[in-house]
Amino acid sequence: MSDSSTTTKRPAPPAAIILTPAAEKRVADLMAKAPDDAIGVKLSTPRRGCSGLAYSVDYVTEEAKFDEKIVTPGGTFYVDSASVLYLIGSTMDWQEDDFTAGFVFNNPNAQGTCGCGESFMV
């Protein structure tokens, strides 16, 4: 009798959000000057603004059980578990010019944004 029980290793699912090289570099820059208790940087989508949801990036001091964890060369990037569904398939970039600097999101789930560009709706 042969042993028909085999273990099949499934590939890891793709991350909910893709960070561009510029975004990964910015995470590294943030972690280089992070408070001592910071373990990474976390993206969440709190309710605020004209359209309902906004992007918020903050230091995180402890890992939440269901948050998505993305390990980058410069540090760990987390996506808030309550925000993942709003962000699936998104790309996060870091852009700078003479007047502004900030994370820019290409989110295929956003159905619209407010006039000032601070918030979005799904």
Side-chain angles (χ1 to χ4, degrees):
M1 185 181 236
S2 66
D3 183 3
S4 63
S5 64
T6 58
T7 303
T8 305
K9 187 172 183 176
R10 294 181 183 200
I17 185 167
I18 296 167
L19 279 70
T20 65
E24 287 184 352
K25 182 179 181 320
R26 181 60 181 166
V27 169
D29 294 345
L30 289 169
M31 289 308 298
K33 57 184 176 187
D36 290 339
D37 61 344
I39 62 165
V41 177
K42 184 174 185 174
L43 172 63
S44 60
T45 55
R47 296 202 175 279
R48 73 170 177 238
C50 314
S51 295
L53 296 170
Y55 300 104
S56 180
V57 179
D58 301 290
Y59 290 114
V60 62
T61 57
E62 61 184 49
E63 193 170 304
K65 185 175 183 178
F66 295 107
D67 285 353
E68 177 150 348
K69 180 178 181 179
I70 302 170
V71 178
T72 73
T76 305
F77 184 77
Y78 295 90
V79 179
D80 176 66
S81 62
S83 301
V84 168
L85 288 176
Y86 306 129
L87 299 169
I88 292 173
S90 296
T91 300
M92 182 172 127
D93 192 17
W94 176 260
Q95 295 181 0
E96 293 183 46
D97 63 25
D98 290 341
F99 302 103
T100 62
F103 287 111
V104 177
F105 298 88
N106 179 359
N107 185 345
N109 305 297
Q111 300 299 310
T113 60
C114 66
C116 66
E118 181 168 315
S119 61
F120 69 100
M121 67 184 118
V122 289

